[in-house]
Structure formats: structure tokens, C-alpha cells
Amino acid sequence: MVGSDTGTDAEFAVELTGITKRFPGVVANSDIHLSVRRGEVHALCGENGAGKSTLMKILYGMQQPDEGTIAVDGKPVRFRSPSDAIRAGIGMVHQHFMLADNLTVLENVVLGAEAMHGIGAKARKRIAELSRTVGLDVGHDVLVERLGVADRQRVEILKVLYRGARTVILDEPTAVLVPQEVEELFETVRNMRSEGFTFLFISHKLDEVRAIADSITVIRRGTSVGTADPHTVTTRQLAEMMVGSELPTPSTTDSTVTDREVLRVSGLQLPGEAGGRALLADVDLVVRAGEVLGIAGVEGNGQTELVETIMGMRRAASGTITLSGTDISRATTLQRREAGIGYIPEDRTRHGLLATQPLWVNRILGHQSRPPVSRGGPLGLLDRAAARRDTERIVREFDVRTPGVDVPAAALSGGNQQKLVVGRELSGDPVLLIASHPTRGVDVGAQAGIWAELRRARAAGLAVLLISADLDELIGLSDTIKVMLRGRLVADADPATVTPEELGSAMTGAGGQPGGAGAPPEPPPDPHPDDGVDDGAGGGRHRAADGTGGTQEPRTGESTA
Amino acid sequence: MTRVRTVLLPPALAIVFAALLCAVALLISGDSPLTALRVMITQVGEGTTAIDILNSGAIYYIAGLAVAIGFQMKLFNIGIEGQYRLAACVAAIVGGTLVLPPVLHTIVILLVAMVVGAAWAGIAALLKAFRGVSEVISTIMLNFLATGLIAFLIRPDSFGVLRGNNISTDPIPPSGQFPGISFGSSGTLFGMVFVAALLGLGYAFLLDRTRFGFELKASGESDTAATAGGVNARRMTIIALLMSGAVAGLVGLPELVGRDFAYTLTSPQGYGFTGIAVALLGRNHPFGIALGALLWAFLDKSALALDNVGVPREIVLIMQGSVVLSVVVAYEIVRRYELAAEQRRVAAQLRAASAAPAEEVKA
């Protein structure tokens, strides 16, 4: 699967030595060592907040290190800005695309680099050459807004190459792709590698890292904890290097599904704007007490709209929504919440939290009309003491790492913010929980905690509607899976038998009915169960990398729940 | 400690900065900043200045509160000006026409003013909620409409009477007047000063203790999060603007029921815009707005005193402008600094707290 290693005597394309970066009060990077050989795909793994982004910003010249040196092609360099890095042949493809939708491919590529080949025939010729390299098949005069996500990504890579990069940093490039597109991207990366390009591949999707990388550097709590050989290391071992402890899995064991219907959605229709394609068409679904119904789908296929329609934030054109036998199709969002719907929104900063308000004020949001935070009455008096007490309970029970309930929500890390939201939405005995990407952007420790809470609530008879882009999470937690495509529920899948690949093809509309292949739900058996992490494969650091943390001093303390 | 710093440091910095700026301006124009400062401070004890400051401060305070209610949910009610003038005019007409027992008469006048203010703001509220018209635009336009409407209402053919070369409404009889507290030669404190204080208390209570206040603040902080939390954004927009307008309706009343007893063509204007500055100074905080209103009134009075000693009174305008600007800037700087500090503090505490247990997990 992985191409042959480039010669071991090859010089390093990029070498970072002893990089330390301190922000006031926080050490983001501490003594990081990273050596990338010419012509290899080097993966950088680490949890959210481990310091990957800071390191890449340093390498790309967006920030200057306090200590340590950067060498490119063996020569020490100092980058004061990204343009210095680009001049040295380093390019970065950001996770969030930086393209102008209303410009063509050509215009996007040339924008800001007009001095290189002008904007005319010469530029066009150069782009045509590079398009072959990155596998971009579309015309250069097509507007970027017409391109799919995978092609946009290729345009981003094209932009970087056009500016003369030989080393390309890919920041979480697969986060936005479905499995099939990931495979195509990898094909491109392999081809480019054989043409001599060097890649720094940032990801926390470890299966992908193992599939594409020639060597791996793992970062934990701001420092490099070791390197690993993707041929011999297992995903689990890698993950344990990342977290420094035993890993949780999302799988639920016994079925707790009852026959009591909690949510019934039937014939839900939501027209698109200005006569466009319907956002939701004939959506029918039932969630029972103790059941987790998972919705799989590529983002933008109506999952967000479905959730917001069930929450009453959008009005359906027709169809009914019934909660425990009561028709709530016409109810307001607050009435639906009062009727017992909890809602973990997909974007906690936009929809879940009041960033500058203290935690206990955030506890009130969505519960402002109900005890314990409300005393009721015509004035709708709030019980501030009770809100504080109940926030303290959530902090305790859901392991929110915070010095107190008076700090503003923005001061917490993403994982702890999410735990607070989950705790709040599970307060007040909901009968239905709508969980939209409940562990997106949180670290592994918090993820395990959230999974545990969801499982506990399910066992207690909660009905859960789960939307997630993480197919392992979806398969692991759900009792039933439905696939959503272009606003319709197009297929059912049995989480006991379906594989992520089958789900992926159903999500893109490519494959047929998933779930019949009978593949085992467990991850593929580990070919090298005894083989430890190969330290030093990248010629880097000799550090304890046995997955137990060794002598690393714990900094953030994100241990498993 | 941190809180005190966050709250008090920015305005203190801003006032010092504005004072320095004015000192420079005075030096350039050839006047002594120290003389100016001495005059500004000593004037407070002279004549009716202290009471005047309180009276004007109360008016500015009510205007500031009206603006702040909108600001809480990021609504910029520029229309306080039109709302209070129209409300005062209609209240004067109604008060001068009705015959009612004392107290009740005054209360009716206050209520009429509030209803008119709310109704005038309500036009902007409905436009905003149902047609998406920016309240900034609509309230500015409504200010012009109010001017025209007032001119029509107090024409002698309508409800006005010609007195000398001024036109005014029928005077409000004593039963509708709001008695003040007389301090002899030091002046008379408007009774409405206490109403203003009560409004401030009500505002503080509403904001901190009630569901409505929470929903107001939540909508202002993040309308998306508020919507997801079950707050009806459209309803909140309407209610917030109506309340802002109702409070605005009271701005003109301290003078109407406490001193002038009639609305005239020459009744004072501009309080609505002062209210915006005062709300900015006070950062929408009930106590902060009070301080801002008093500071503004103090500076206003200083203009007269400075004029008497030959210092250009325009220096006060420079002072007022620079105070507002520097307060806005200073708060933003301190806010960013405090948030970053808070994040560092949380991270540091967590590191310290988790060092020991995390080590055990690994062992």
C-alpha cells in the first residue's frame, strides 16, 4: 500500500530542531523535533490542542519560534512571514479553503502571484502542466463555486505548486472528504510524491495516516513524543501515543431499544430557497426510547435542516413531527425544548454557547423557562443560585475542566465547552436528544466522556437522534442508521454489519444498499499485534514511545474518563 | 479584584486620556489647563450648578437607559430623539386638556408619554421584524417625521396657542405637575430624578434577574445561540424596541412636568443623541450609565463656567468627544486583554490541578 521509501541517505527537505513557542502563560510547543526527508509523505499526528497548528504556523512563517531552528534543504532559515516560506518552497493547504467562489480556477490560482507568470497565456500554460500533476480535470475558466469539495482542494494544492512549492503542508485534508474522495486524494499525493514532492500531512485520522504516510511523528501536549513506522504500527498504538493512555471505543454493547415511540417524523418537506432543490423531501423516521438513530450523510445533504426543523428553528412546508404522541409541528423552539427535547448543536460556538458569559449563565440557555434555573411566575424570575448549583453539578458529573462556574465559556477548551453543552442538554430529564456531531473538534479524552454519557442516557431510556460525520462514531453508537442524500433518507443500514466504506458509497449515492456485505463491525484485525512503535524510523528523536507517556510531564491532563 | 479592574480601569484611563487631550488643546489655544480645571471644579459649589447637574443628569440617564435597552440586543435605536420629543409633545397636549385629580393626572401624563414613545419606536420595530428594515435607517427617518408631526401638532390651528412670539401647548394645570424638592437659592430638584433612579433599578432587575433580561442579553450576544435556545428573535426585537421607546418617551418629562409645564417650539432638543454617548460611556450598565450621565451633565455646565473666565467653551465638546472615543477604545482593549488573561489563568489552573491525578493514571 505504501510506496517504497526514498533512500535513507536523502537529505532532509525540512528539519525542525528544538522548536519551542511560548504564549503568555502557555507553552504551545516545547522542544519539538521533526525531520522530513525529501520526497516522503510525513504525517504529523496529535490530538486537538497538541500543538500541531502552532508548529505548522511556525514552519509556514506565520509565527516565529522562541527557540529552535528550522532548516530547509539543510540550510538554516528564518521565516518572518509566509512569503518567506513560499520563497523557500514551502506551501500550505489550509483546512478551510481560501478560495474566491466568484472567480475562476485560473483567477484563483493567479491571484496574488501575478508576478510569477503574469495573468495571460504563460500562466495558463503553467497551470495546465500543474493541473495534470494534481489531477484536476476541470477547465480553468470554470467558476470555483461550481466545483465540488475534492476539486476545490486540488485547486488549493495547485495554488501552492504554482507559487513554486516543493514541500506541501496539508492541514487535515481529509476532514471534508468522503472515503472515496480520500482515496483519490491519496492517489494524487502518491503520484506527486513520485515526482519528487514532499508532503507534511497533518491529521488525527490514524487509519488514513497509516495508509498514506512514509513516516509519522506524534505530538502530544506540545512536544514530539516519538516517530513511528506506518508499516508496523497499529492504529491503536498510534492513538495511544497521541493520548498517552488506553483508548476508548465508541461501540455500544447490549441493545436497549424499547417499542415506545418517542419521535415520529412523517412526510417532512422543506422547500429550497427560490425554487431550488428541496432541502428536505418526504422524510420519515421514528426514534424509540432507548434507541440511537444515526443519520449518515455527506455534509450539506439536509442533516442540518432536518435537525433545525425538528427543533422548530425552521418551518416545514408540510409533514408532522410527533413527540411522545403529541403533535409538535406547530410548536415553538422553546415549547419543544419544554416538551423534553435536548439539542447538542453542530456548532457549539454559534448555536450552543454565549461565549463571553460565565458558565452558569450558559446553563440557563434553553432552560430559561424551566426549573431549576427559573422560578416561574409572571415576571419569569431566574434562580441564579440554583443555576450556579446546577452548573457545578454538570461540571462535576461531566468532568468539565474549569476552575469554577464564573469563568466565561470562551475561556474553556473546545472539549470542555462541549461537555458543558452535553451536560446542559441532558439536564431536565429530556425524552429525546438531538446530537449533531457531538464530538466534533474535541480531543480523545472528552470524546470518550461524551460517548459514555450518551450511552448512559440511552440505557436510561433516552431516544437519541445522532448526526455525525465520523462514521466510526455513527456505527459504534447507533442502533439503526439511515443514510441521507439530497434531502431524502435513501437507505437503511445495520450498524452491526455495515462498514464505513459501504456507508461512504451510500452517502455519495454511488453504491447500492449498504449493510448486506456482512463485514464485521470491528476494525480490521491487527497484522502486527506485538510490534511496538518503531522509534527512530524517521531518524528523529529517541523518546519513550511506548504509549504510556514515559517521562512526559502531564500538561493538560486530558486523561480518559 | 479582576472584576473591579475590568470595570473601573477603562473609564478611568479614558477620562485621564481625554483630560490630557484637552490640556494639549488648551495649551495650543494659549489658555492654562490648570485654570480651566480649577474653574470646572469650583463651579459645582456655586449657585444652582449642583442641582442643575443632577437634573440634567437624570434626563441624560433616562435617555441612556433607553439606548442601552436596545444596545443589549445590538439594536441601535437612534430614534430616541424623535420618540422623546413626540412623546413630550403629545403628553403635554393630553396633560393640558384633561382634568384629573392630582397624582392620577401626573401618572396619566407619564403613561401617555411612554405609550407614544413606544408606538413611535414600534413602527421601526415592526419594519425591522417583518420587513428586515434596519432600525438605524428607520429611526433616523422617524426622527424627521417626528419633527414635522410636532410642528403640525402645536400649530395654533391644531393644539397650540400663540404666546408672545413662541408657540406652545396649553399649560398643564398644577394637578398634573410633578413637584420637586426646593433647595432655596440652590435650585429645585426635579421629582422625576427619583423616577429616573427607579427606572435604573428596574432596568438592573430586569436584566439580571428575569427571563426577559436573559433572553435580551442572549440575543445580543449571539442571536444564533439564542434561537437554538428557544428565544424568539423576532419577538425579542419588537419587545426590546417597544421598551426602549417607552423609556425614551419619559426623557422629555422631567422638564415638562417639573419646570416648563408646556411643550413649546423651543423645547430642548438633542437629548436622544446625548443618550447614545452616555450609554456608550456606561457600557449599558445601570450604574455606569448613571456615572456617564452625571459626567456629561457636569461637562455641560462647565461650558458656561469656562466661558465666564474666557476659556473657549468648545473645549468641553472636545472633552466629551474624546471621552466617548477613548472609553470605547479602552473597553475593547481591556476586554481582549482580560479574556486572554482568563484563558491563560484557566489553562494554568488546570495544569496545576491535573498534574497529580494524570500522573496516577499513567502509573
Side-chain angles (χ1 to χ4, degrees):
Chain A
M1 196 173 208
V2 179
S4 64
D5 277 354
T6 44
T8 46
D9 55 342
E11 61 176 342
F12 293 115
V14 172
E15 201 172 8
L16 302 180
T17 320
I19 296 289
T20 298
K21 176 72 183 174
R22 297 182 198 87
F23 294 110
V26 180
V27 184
N29 283 168
S30 149
D31 192 26
I32 291 193
H33 292 254
L34 174 69
S35 305
V36 184
R37 272 171 296 171
R38 169 161 306 293
E40 74 167 356
V41 177
H42 193 109
L44 187 65
C45 296
E47 285 189 88
N48 289 301
K52 294 176 305 215
S53 314
T54 307
L55 186 65
M56 288 305 108
K57 280 179 185 166
I58 289 172
L59 176 57
Y60 193 49
M62 292 159 81
Q63 273 162 0
Q64 278 70 49
D66 297 330
E67 290 165 27
T69 56
I70 304 173
V72 175
D73 298 330
K75 288 188 288 290
V77 288
R78 276 196 55 144
F79 296 149
R80 277 179 205 83
S81 71
S83 42
D84 287 350
I86 291 168
R87 226 168 287 136
I90 295 173
M92 183 155 175
V93 174
H94 295 271
Q95 185 179 357
H96 301 287
F97 299 151
M98 304 194 172
L99 297 171
D101 275 358
N102 53 345
L103 298 183
T104 65
V105 172
L106 178 89
E107 288 164 342
N108 263 289
V109 172
V110 173
L111 189 66
E114 296 85 352
M116 305 211 46
H117 306 284
I119 57 169
K122 246 172 87 187
R124 198 170 283 273
K125 186 159 153 284
R126 181 75 184 130
I127 291 174
E129 286 164 27
L130 292 173
S131 290
R132 272 192 296 283
T133 307
V134 301
L136 183 72
D137 290 333
V138 299
H140 303 144
D141 298 316
V142 177
L143 289 182
V144 163
E145 66 184 2
R146 303 204 180 280
L147 300 188
V149 175
D151 279 337
R152 283 167 192 239
Q153 193 165 49
R154 288 173 203 280
V155 175
E156 283 280 11
I157 300 175
L158 182 60
K159 261 169 68 178
V160 165
L161 298 190
Y162 187 80
R163 284 155 176 76
R166 299 295 296 168
T167 301
V168 181
I169 305 169
L170 297 173
D171 186 8
E172 305 262 0
T174 61
V176 290
L177 304 176
V178 295
Q180 281 73 12
E181 292 171 336
V182 169
E183 201 35 62
E184 287 171 25
L185 171 71
F186 284 2
E187 219 27 69
T188 306
V189 168
R190 288 192 194 104
N191 290 337
M192 289 176 63
R193 180 181 58 190
S194 62
E195 291 182 28
F197 288 99
T198 308
F199 284 93
L200 241 170
F201 183 91
I202 306 171
S203 182
H204 57 237
K205 291 189 181 167
L206 303 178
D207 288 322
E208 295 174 357
V209 165
R210 286 177 56 219
I212 188 69
D214 299 313
S215 52
I216 301 173
T217 297
V218 178
I219 291 190
R220 180 169 79 231
R221 290 179 195 135
T223 192
S224 42
V225 292
T227 58
D229 180 354
H231 302 93
T232 52
V233 74
T234 66
T235 300
R236 214 178 164 76
Q237 286 164 340
L238 259 188
E240 283 169 8
M241 274 178 86
M242 268 166 57
V243 236
S245 59
E246 289 295 312
L247 263 194
T249 50
S251 61
T252 44
T253 44
D254 306 321
S255 170
T256 55
V257 181
T258 63
D259 56 1
R260 186 160 56 82
E261 262 184 35
V262 173
L263 175 74
R264 172 176 281 276
V265 172
S266 47
L268 208 58
Q269 304 270 7
L270 188 68
E273 274 166 39
R277 174 167 60 77
L279 295 170
L280 293 177
D282 293 320
V283 173
D284 297 287
L285 59 85
V286 173
V287 192
R288 296 177 179 82
E291 179 185 16
V292 177
L293 174 66
I295 306 275
V298 180
E299 269 178 63
N301 274 280
Q303 302 94 313
T304 308
E305 288 78 9
L306 174 65
V307 165
E308 292 183 357
T309 310
I310 296 175
M311 281 311 295
M313 295 155 68
R314 288 169 184 266
R315 293 278 160 192
S318 64
T320 56
I321 302 167
T322 317
L323 186 74
S324 308
T326 318
D327 186 353
I328 56 164
S329 314
R330 299 268 138 230
T332 62
T333 303
L334 191 63
Q335 285 165 341
R336 292 178 203 218
R337 281 181 166 274
E338 286 167 347
I341 304 184
Y343 173 36
I344 303 172
E346 62 180 53
D347 184 344
R348 64 180 162 270
T349 49
R350 260 175 68 75
H351 291 106
L353 289 169
L354 306 171
T356 67
Q357 298 289 335
L359 301 189
W360 67 267
V361 173
N362 275 285
R363 168 66 182 84
I364 300 174
L365 189 64
H367 293 258
Q368 60 267 35
S369 58
R370 279 178 284 168
V373 301
S374 168
R375 288 205 183 98
L379 281 175
L381 289 188
L382 298 176
D383 188 339
R384 289 150 49 111
R388 275 167 193 282
R389 269 199 308 279
D390 205 56
T391 313
E392 277 158 14
R393 172 192 65 81
I394 291 174
V395 166
R396 212 166 43 242
E397 289 181 7
F398 290 80
D399 189 30
V400 181
R401 309 281 171 84
T402 169
V405 298
D406 284 310
V407 300
L412 298 192
S413 72
N416 286 311
Q417 289 178 347
Q418 188 72 357
K419 284 191 274 189
L420 179 76
V421 170
V422 171
R424 178 184 73 199
E425 298 306 328
L426 286 174
S427 301
D429 296 320
V431 293
L432 170 71
L433 178 72
I434 299 178
S436 237
H437 307 282
T439 61
R440 171 178 283 179
V442 308
D443 50 71
V444 176
Q447 189 178 39
I450 291 169
W451 282 338
E453 290 299 338
L454 289 182
R455 245 175 267 138
R456 193 174 309 148
R458 163 182 173 268
L462 184 75
V464 179
L465 181 64
L466 174 70
I467 285 94
S468 179
D470 179 344
L471 297 184
D472 290 325
E473 172 177 87
L474 207 56
I475 293 171
L477 285 178
S478 303
D479 296 296
T480 319
I481 293 181
K482 287 178 183 293
V483 180
M484 197 159 199
L485 180 66
R486 296 189 200 105
R488 291 173 188 275
L489 294 176
V490 292
D492 291 345
D494 181 354
T497 55
V498 75
T499 65
E501 288 70 28
E502 289 167 335
L503 262 189
S505 53
M507 282 157 60
T508 52
Q513 197 80 349
E522 290 85 22
D526 176 10
H528 304 284
D530 297 321
D531 218 330
V533 174
D534 186 359
D535 193 5
R541 305 276 295 157
H542 288 268
R543 283 284 192 126
D546 54 4
T548 58
T551 55
Q552 294 304 311
E553 85 275 43
R555 287 182 59 246
T556 56
E558 286 287 1
S559 54
T560 51
Chain B
M1 177 59 202
T2 319
R3 268 205 86 64
V4 171
R5 207 173 60 199
T6 321
V7 173
L8 292 186
L9 189 64
L13 278 178
I15 290 171
V16 169
F17 180 73
L20 285 178
L21 211 66
C22 290
V24 172
L26 282 171
L27 286 174
I28 290 172
S29 70
D31 293 292
S32 158
L34 288 176
T35 315
L37 187 65
R38 192 173 42 77
V39 169
M40 285 170 75
I41 291 172
T42 50
Q43 59 134 350
V44 176
E46 293 164 4
T48 61
T49 309
I51 298 294
D52 286 347
I53 288 175
L54 281 178
N55 284 343
S56 298
I59 294 168
Y60 297 162
Y61 185 55
I62 299 175
L65 285 178
V67 177
I69 292 171
F71 272 168
Q72 284 292 347
M73 68 173 291
K74 303 233 165 75
L75 288 173
F76 199 176
N77 182 3
I78 298 187
I80 309 289
E81 183 73 13
Q83 288 147 23
Y84 94 80
R85 288 179 56 212
L86 188 67
C89 176
V90 174
I93 292 166
V94 172
T97 314
L98 286 181
V99 180
L100 284 169
V103 183
L104 181 64
H105 196 164
T106 312
I107 289 173
V108 166
I109 293 175
L110 296 190
L111 286 178
V112 166
M114 290 174 76
V115 168
V116 173
W120 202 243
I123 299 172
L126 294 179
L127 284 172
K128 168 96 180 169
F130 292 101
R131 284 287 172 266
V133 179
S134 162
E135 77 284 358
V136 177
I137 307 292
S138 56
T139 51
I140 289 178
M141 295 303 165
L142 284 167
N143 283 347
F144 288 105
L145 286 181
T147 305
L149 197 54
I150 290 166
F152 169 75
L153 285 175
I154 62 171
R155 261 163 37 135
D157 316 359
S158 312
F159 300 98
V161 285
L162 195 62
R163 281 202 281 178
N165 50 6
N166 199 358
I167 307 174
S168 87
T169 57
D170 274 330
I172 298 171
S175 62
Q177 297 171 5
F178 203 133
I181 300 172
S182 174
F183 288 87
S185 63
S186 297
T188 302
L189 191 66
F190 289 152
M192 280 293 285
V193 169
F194 300 100
V195 174
L198 281 178
L199 277 178
L201 287 178
Y203 171 79
F205 178 82
L206 188 79
L207 217 54
D208 282 349
R209 308 275 164 167
T210 69
R211 174 181 152 191
F212 175 79
F214 171 79
E215 294 189 341
L216 195 67
K217 279 190 293 186
S219 308
E221 163 104 31
S222 162
D223 58 340
T224 47
T227 306
V231 179
N232 184 335
R234 178 179 290 179
R235 191 171 144 264
M236 290 308 295
T237 302
I238 295 176
I239 297 182
L241 273 177
L242 286 179
M243 287 184 68
S244 176
V247 174
L250 294 176
V251 170
L253 290 218
E255 291 173 338
L256 181 68
V257 295
R259 189 186 69 198
D260 299 344
F261 311 124
Y263 192 89
T264 73
L265 263 189
T266 52
S267 280
Q269 301 183 8
Y271 294 157
F273 301 114
T274 304
I276 295 172
V278 166
L280 281 174
L281 275 181
R283 303 302 292 172
N284 304 331
H285 189 277
F287 189 62
I289 301 172
L291 290 182
L294 288 175
L295 175 67
W296 205 268
F298 164 74
L299 291 174
D300 271 355
K301 295 295 164 219
S302 303
L304 290 173
L306 288 174
D307 223 17
N308 289 340
V309 296
V311 176
R313 59 187 301 164
E314 284 70 24
I315 203 72
V316 165
L317 290 178
I318 297 179
M319 185 102 185
Q320 288 177 330
S322 50
V323 161
V324 171
L325 269 184
S326 26
V327 158
V328 172
V329 173
Y331 265 104
E332 186 59 24
I333 291 172
V334 171
R335 189 188 66 79
R336 287 188 196 170
Y337 173 78
E338 289 292 337
L339 183 62
E342 188 80 8
Q343 279 168 338
R344 280 198 300 276
R345 200 170 61 82
V346 170
Q349 283 193 18
L350 292 180
R351 236 185 350 265
S354 65
E359 205 54 68
E360 281 163 28
V361 169
K362 282 155 199 279

